[in-house]
Amino acid sequence: MKSTLKLALGLASAITASTAVSNVAHAEDLTLCWAAWDPANALVELSKDFTKETGIGMKFEFVPWTNYADRFLNELNSHGKLCDLIIGDSQWIGGAAENGHYVKLNDFFDKEKISMDDFVPATVVGYSEWPKNSPNYWALPAMGDVVGWTYRKDWFSKPELQKEFKEKYGWDLGPPSTFDQLKQIAEFFQKREIDGKTVYGASIYTERGSEGITMGAMDVLYSFGFQYENPKKPYEMDGFVNSEKSVKGLEFYKALYDCCTPPGASNSYMGEGVDAFKSGQVAMHMNFAFTWPGLQKDENVGGDKIGYFVNPKGPDGDQFAQLGGQGISVVSYSDKQESALKYIKWFANKDVQAKWWSLGGYSCLNAVVKDPKFPASQPYAQTFLDSMAIVKDFWAEPSYAPLLQASQKRFHDYVVAGQGSAKDALDGLVKDWTQVFQDDGKM
Amino acid sequence: MLNRTADSVARATPEPLARKVRGISDKGLAWLFISPTILLLLAINIFPLFWAIYLSFTNFRANRPNEVVKNLGFANYQRILTDQDIWIAMQTTAHFVFWTILLQTVIGFTLAWLIDRKFRGHAFWTTIILVPMMLSPAVVGNFWRFLYEPQIGLFAYAISFVTGIPPTNIQMLSNVELAPWSIIIVDTWMWTPYVMLICLAGLRSIPEYIYEAAEVDRASNWRQFWSITLPMALPFIMLAVLFRGIENFKMFDMVNLLTGGGPGSTTEVASITLKRQAFESWRTGYSSAFAIILFVAVFGLANIYVKALNKVKQR
């Protein structure tokens, strides 16, 4: 009887102890929320070093891009405790800061001697600051990203195509430096037979549901002269958003869609673009730089067959590219803010950032990207650097969501559905955006 | 036997409790049993409805819970009713409802009439016809999206085979003219069996002796159909139209999966607009007002229709 009692007590204490140990271990686990994409897989790999160093376990909550904003903005709005760390989209910064979703990092940065001067300036403005261009930091630049282009180097270098192209357009077939050249190349390849297969000119963003067509059209509009507002008078948009130059830019984007995209590409974004390029459908492919490591490694279209170029210049020589990417923030509703800040401190380390780049993430740390060896470290590294030097971002206002929805509708109605004119679309956009800012009491 | 069991249970029950239970009237007992259901109904149906009505008069945004909520009176309603985009979405919805109901009713009734002939293998064909209705809308939407693909989709090849138009020119989901029809086709494919089932129930409820009497009177097949089959099945057809009408007015999943409202806003039905306003633009008060307007419209139209249905039944 005694031995049975001892055994029972022993088992009970063992169970209690193991539960306590497991509770302690779980209490230290951090959950990081992000989109489900290639860089997220690289981050999982990278974070194993953090666990080794600190003993803090890492859990990940990755959501596909199409639901990314819905899922995590809901989580933040409902003050959920799911995410301790979040890599939120650049446009969220304004809303997340004003609504208290993110922990302000200034004191922490000062204490840990993390300087924003050590990061690429565009990424600090884009991913960390609110209000923009003020020293109020809500995130550490985590994943630099920008829209650029890939092209089929192997097709471009075919002698018979080079000859035909030169005869037709009078210049050598190669990566375009202007949008006019880009369109000529796209027209040249459209419905051409290459290796027994019909191919098309270019894959561009046309997606309606989330942010696709806006990210694509803006890439062109910026370089044609589009401005969000009067630089001297905030929120004055008439004559800037719908300027003559902006109209020409939007007309160009429609012309590119009409002439040179694959059939049925009326709702394409990042995934569809990668599919079109990987399956050998298109000669050129607009996409965020995060897709490049995967494409470079692809057996069919990567290696020597792929080339990269920066978003081309507009008619007046202006050259800009749409900023993508995100910063990493500590969620203010998390119970593990101390551990989460440890992760940010670790992530800001130079060696970690160098490894981040080598695994397929895009570091924003100057020490990594300004290293003399960086441009040669990957075939796309120089294009990434050049692109990051010319970035512009969409409104990062707290009301970015209705602003984005308005541009999605106006652009898709005109570019894909062919309704009205470019002027109508941009005039309508001024009207919609004005309404949003009036609702916010900013106008 | 039952009374004896009840008595023994009553005897075994401690006295104070038994007295309490015995003290409850039948009505009280009924309320006791249905109160959990009523509470649940109030919590998940009635309260949200009244909460939505309240929100519809405010500028509340779910993504800004800390902001002061202002009462706007009827401003949200006024803005919705004067918004051209909302009216276009309503027209698009009406277009879908009209065509899907028309096609589903005509095809569904025809199929029911054929199945009712009880030809050899009719049970097998009934099962085959019912398959689309049993699939999940998510599966159906993705399945048809692949079928409509202009480069690899079977639909484009089938049309190309018949018409000679190159498959890459048959862009069902990208073309402004074709996109609405692509959704109407899928919805009809999926829900015609449902209409067929209801119509079949109607046809099977017609007593055989009426046809026998008509045979005696030498009424032609057409006459029998026009004077007996159709009038007697009409209440069932109308019921199917009511169910499908309400469902299609709220159509969301199929549109979202196939076109997402595009190209442009060509297939943006009211429910898609509502979702965009509520969960993408976060205009909670505004979208609540829109939801109330839609609710009133469906409720009002359904009531008028039910009155007409009752009149037909009484004939």
Side-chain angles (χ1 to χ4, degrees), chain B residues 105-120:
Chain B
T105 309
V106 171
I107 302 171
F109 182 77
T110 309
L111 286 173
W113 187 75
L114 288 172
I115 294 285
D116 195 40
R117 304 291 92 195
K118 289 184 183 154
F119 56 88
R120 192 180 158 86

Side-chain angles (χ1 to χ4, degrees), chain B residues 35-163:
Chain B
S35 56
T37 312
I38 286 177
L39 285 175
L40 206 66
L41 200 70
L42 283 171
I44 63 174
N45 272 13
I46 309 298
F47 171 71
L49 178 67
F50 282 101
W51 187 243
I53 291 171
Y54 159 71
L55 290 179
S56 72
F57 295 107
T58 69
N59 67 342
F60 178 70
R61 292 184 191 189
N63 65 337
R64 299 191 193 174
N66 304 331
E67 224 167 65
V68 179
V69 179
K70 284 184 204 156
N71 193 328
L72 301 179
F74 285 93
N76 283 331
Y77 288 92
Q78 193 188 3
R79 200 158 137 187
I80 289 163
L81 295 171
T82 52
D83 186 337
Q84 204 193 345
D85 289 341
I86 296 283
W87 284 108
I88 291 172
M90 295 299 271
Q91 277 173 25
T92 309
T93 310
H95 179 263
F96 276 121
V97 172
F98 175 78
W99 283 108
T100 49
I101 285 183
L102 183 71
L103 291 171
Q104 287 168 26
T105 309
V106 171
I107 302 171
F109 182 77
T110 309
L111 286 173
W113 187 75
L114 288 172
I115 294 285
D116 195 40
R117 304 291 92 195
K118 289 184 183 154
F119 56 88
R120 192 180 158 86
H122 76 275
F124 170 77
W125 287 110
T126 308
T127 312
I128 292 290
I129 291 168
L130 291 179
V131 167
M133 188 184 94
M134 294 170 185
L135 298 172
S136 133
V139 173
V140 171
N142 283 314
F143 171 65
W144 275 89
R145 205 146 53 93
F146 282 114
L147 286 182
Y148 281 143
E149 227 301 310
Q151 294 189 68
I152 54 165
L154 283 178
F155 188 87
Y157 274 94
I159 300 290
S160 169
F161 186 74
V162 177
T163 60

Side-chain angles (χ1 to χ4, degrees), chain A residues 70 73-74 77 79 99 101 191 200 208-209 257 262-267 281 398-399 401-402 405 409-410 412-413 416-419 432 435-436 439-440, chain B residues 61-67 79 85 145 149-151 168-169 171 173-176 258-266 268 275-276 279-283:
Chain A
D70 285 357
L73 289 177
N74 261 328
N77 291 332
H79 298 193
N99 294 311
H101 300 325
K191 293 190 179 170
Y200 302 92
R208 168 73 171 91
Y257 170 74
S266 60
N267 204 19
Q281 272 190 64
S399 278
Q405 282 309 312
K409 178 182 162 47
R410 296 291 178 184
H412 215 267
D413 278 354
V416 176
Q419 287 162 357
D432 295 344
Q435 179 74 61
V436 172
D439 288 351
D440 281 357
Chain B
R61 292 184 191 189
N63 65 337
R64 299 191 193 174
N66 304 331
E67 224 167 65
R79 200 158 137 187
D85 289 341
R145 205 146 53 93
E149 227 301 310
Q151 294 189 68
T168 50
N169 287 3
Q171 300 182 21
L173 302 177
S174 311
N175 184 294
V176 174
L258 286 170
T259 63
S265 311
T266 319
E268 188 165 316
K275 182 243 181 187
R276 287 202 167 124
F279 302 113
E280 289 171 15
S281 293
W282 297 102
R283 289 172 167 149

Side-chain angles (χ1 to χ4, degrees), chain A residues 148-151 156 175-176 182 284-285 292 307-312 383 387:
Chain A
W149 296 77
T150 61
Y151 69 99
F156 276 48
L182 183 138
M284 293 178 291
H285 161 225
W292 297 349
Y308 306 87
F309 64 89
V310 182
N311 200 42
T383 311
S387 300

